[in-house]
Amino acid sequence: MKSAYKKMFGASLMAAALGLSLTPPAALAATPAAKAAAKAPKRYTIEQFMATVSVGGASFSADEKRILFSSNVTGIFNVYSVAVGGGEPVALTKSTTESHYAVGYFPDDDRVLFTRDQGGNEQNHLYVRELDGSEKDLTPGDKLKASFAGWSGDLSAFYVSSNERDPRFFDIYRYDAKTYARTLVYKNDTGMSAGAISRDGRWMALGKTNTTSDSDVYLYDTQTQTSKHITAHQGVASYGAATFDPASKRLLLTTNDGSEFSRLIAYDLASGQVSDLEKADWDIVYSDYSRDGRFRVTGVNVDASIQPRIRENEKDMVLPKLPEGELRGVSFSKSGGKMAFYVNGDRSPNNLFVHDFASKKTTQLSRSMSKEIDPNDLVEARIVRFKSFDGMVVPSVYYLPKEASPTHKVPAVLLVHGGPGGQTMRGYNALAQYLANHGYAVLGINNRGSSGYGKSFYTADDGKHGREPLWDCIEAKTYLASTGVIDHERIGIMGGSYGGYMTLAALAFRPEAFKVGVDIFGVSNWLRTLESIPPYWESFRKALYQEIGDPVKDKDFLIATSPLFHAKEIRKPLMVIQGANDPRVIKPESDEIVEAVKKNGVPVQYLVFPDEGHGFAKKKNQIEANRQIKEFLDKYLLPTSK
């Protein structure tokens, strides 16, 4: 919960305090890639890159012989099932127009839950695929958003959140697994966020957002329909519900109360006593139990990588030997006899595996990388750090082309994540690898306000958007230029959502800094964006105003930090990409900045996808967007464009 409300438009500790060291320019210049001009790798087309398949989700069938997952192998996400022993996946949905995402198998038969929206409008409904292959909308209606909220402890029912009654708030319904008859479990009239539900069905954790960095948890009793505040605290602290234990006796919470990083604590439902359960030197971001209660998986955000800890009967479990990469998306079969998970690396996209505890056999079920791409031609990302204008240490994820050297300096792109409050993570990034493969260095900056680096760093951007976080980006350019392998005259800036805002802000408020900008559905006018946010953001509207600015009280500040009102200052080439159905950053945000910048006589390239929203789900659109981004960068950042 700590960062969930700052990642809407996506998402101070010094290095000594973290026990980390800076990566000085000299150290980068001395790397093998930088000592002498290395041979350039084989170049791949965007079509070859996008032949890579994206897969996600993992749910075991009732007989534990198959796994349900989502894949875009056809160019659009659909729901598939694959045998745990391997083999060809079977398509259970076959849409050619709307992305379908797997939720899970029913626990006692082969029915399947899945979700989809319409053209990226984020008005998701929950569907069931019946045994005969027909589908049923479990949440019918217009202009509503619904999502799966978990199974009951006895597996006879499941929970669904929906804002059909009041578009501002999400209620919780209990659906009978056989008849789909539903009952209202929690009526939300106060703007709480319903979270974990105990397996006995009595308790529900409710989250209350105070600010983007301060939150509370209430315990709701479904029998008495009363709630109790269980996280009273002083000062700024974030509390979030992780899960109830299998016996429905304890609620596990994450909190950074009294510390920089979030730890895991346990609240005893009977006595109200709180005890520490697990901690790390970084943020604990989630923890959950297997259905049989034998395993508990905890995720720790370690320097831009989510590292899972798996405990069996509360003892550390030895993981099976795996390919190089990061373990993600761990789930267990109902009996606890099998574990599904993904492995993802900088040079390898998600691949699905299943491990059988009885036979100790691990089977790879997907091979996602394009067969035409040799992973050795891709680059391994590195974590680098630099000091910003005020001494604050800024961590970043760095992709350096293999051919970069002091005698062969390369152009660079600063990549700004969404949010505010998001984080650039390690792992496979198709766009970053595509650009690096074609000779561009990519620096994924985690400017102040990013998640993952402690409470002080996270709150360091509050009320300062368009200023200090932007100045971190300017210092990132200086850092790149100082490495000795980057041409300081050929550095651009690019980002999506809040990162798109940062791109526009850089071009408008520091027009001398970057040679080009690529804005992907970024905010240009904070006044309009904050007034047009979706109704279901109501529960954290005030927190968003506190973070960025109140459209009424802070009107002058928002005008001063909105690029649209300063578009006359933009003098560098600009590319803008927008989904027509985006409910977060609506299309006029892009339309008007494009129109305004064109009046300056500045080259502007505008690409609109009529069938996308806040993010591009269809592979054909991803291909077109990435192709045009590279062509735009080539035009203005290659040596002939100097």
Side-chain angles (χ1 to χ4, degrees), residues 454-477:
K455 186 192 305 183
S456 299
F457 191 83
Y458 182 70
T459 58
D461 68 339
D462 289 1
K464 299 175 181 178
H465 298 287
R467 302 185 314 185
E468 284 87 337
L470 173 60
W471 301 341
D472 289 340
C473 294
I474 304 303
E475 292 300 322
K477 181 201 172 187

Side-chain angles (χ1 to χ4, degrees), residues 385-585:
R385 290 175 165 81
F386 62 88
K387 285 187 176 180
S388 195
F389 64 94
D390 57 356
M392 181 174 282
V393 176
V394 177
S396 303
V397 182
Y398 191 34
Y399 299 81
L400 185 66
K402 293 178 179 291
E403 64 268 34
S405 75
T407 59
H408 183 77
K409 295 184 178 183
V410 297
V413 176
L414 183 66
L415 185 61
V416 190
H417 61 65
Q423 185 182 13
T424 299
M425 306 293 290
R426 290 287 298 267
Y428 187 74
N429 184 317
L431 176 58
Q433 289 288 1
Y434 176 53
L435 293 177
N437 180 251
H438 285 268
Y440 290 91
V442 179
L443 185 70
I445 185 174
N446 281 313
N447 51 273
R448 70 190 65 203
S450 300
S451 299
Y453 303 100
K455 186 192 305 183
S456 299
F457 191 83
Y458 182 70
T459 58
D461 68 339
D462 289 1
K464 299 175 181 178
H465 298 287
R467 302 185 314 185
E468 284 87 337
L470 173 60
W471 301 341
D472 289 340
C473 294
I474 304 303
E475 292 300 322
K477 181 201 172 187
T478 302
Y479 168 74
L480 284 169
S482 71
T483 62
V485 297
I486 304 296
D487 185 340
H488 71 279
E489 294 183 357
R490 296 189 287 140
I491 300 177
I493 183 170
M494 172 171 60
S497 194
Y498 177 78
Y501 162 73
M502 291 282 273
T503 297
L504 294 174
L507 297 187
F509 305 134
R510 295 297 297 269
E512 80 292 345
F514 297 97
K515 192 167 184 184
V516 297
V518 179
D519 157 33
I520 306 171
F521 43 78
V523 175
S524 66
N525 179 355
W526 279 119
L527 287 173
R528 174 175 47 217
T529 292
L530 292 170
E531 290 172 345
S532 64
I533 61 174
Y536 47 84
W537 285 10
E538 183 63 32
S539 62
F540 45 90
R541 178 189 294 272
K542 290 181 180 179
L544 198 59
Y545 286 0
Q546 181 269 343
E547 163 81 18
I548 296 171
D550 187 304
V552 177
K553 298 177 182 178
D554 303 313
K555 181 177 180 180
D556 291 343
F557 174 76
L558 292 174
I559 289 175
T561 55
S562 292
L564 181 63
F565 301 108
H566 308 272
K568 64 180 184 300
E569 303 297 334
I570 297 179
R571 303 190 293 269
K572 300 295 177 62
L574 171 65
M575 181 179 188
V576 178
I577 310 176
Q578 177 73 39
N581 303 320
D582 193 333
R584 307 188 190 195
V585 180

Side-chain angles (χ1 to χ4, degrees), residues 63-198:
D63 61 8
E64 303 188 6
K65 293 182 179 180
R66 285 152 293 143
I67 291 180
L68 192 75
F69 68 103
S70 308
S71 169
N72 71 344
V73 65
T74 64
I76 193 166
F77 277 99
N78 274 288
V79 179
Y80 292 81
S81 179
V82 64
V84 296
E88 192 68 22
V90 176
L92 301 185
T93 65
K94 299 178 181 180
S95 174
T96 59
T97 55
E98 303 293 357
S99 292
H100 289 52
Y101 298 98
V103 171
Y105 272 112
F106 274 65
D108 295 320
D109 57 49
D110 282 347
R111 286 175 295 164
V112 165
L113 290 171
F114 65 92
T115 184
R116 69 168 180 255
D117 69 0
Q118 300 82 42
N121 66 0
E122 300 186 20
Q123 293 178 9
N124 286 72
H125 287 211
L126 184 66
Y127 297 84
V128 59
R129 182 184 186 272
E130 301 283 11
L131 296 177
D132 62 3
S134 63
E135 69 174 47
K136 176 181 177 66
D137 186 353
L138 297 175
T139 54
D142 296 326
K143 296 183 179 180
L144 65 86
K145 183 178 179 68
S147 61
F148 178 73
W151 284 94
S152 64
D154 62 6
L155 304 178
S156 67
F158 56 92
Y159 300 99
V160 176
S161 70
S162 172
N163 67 342
E164 63 185 85
R165 181 186 60 84
D166 185 332
R168 300 173 302 164
F169 305 133
F170 289 91
D171 299 327
I172 299 295
Y173 295 87
R174 184 183 188 273
Y175 280 68
D176 184 276
K178 292 182 178 179
T179 66
Y180 310 133
R182 70 175 191 174
T183 55
L184 181 64
V185 176
Y186 172 64
K187 184 179 180 181
N188 187 357
D189 288 322
T190 59
M192 295 282 194
S193 298
I197 303 172
S198 62

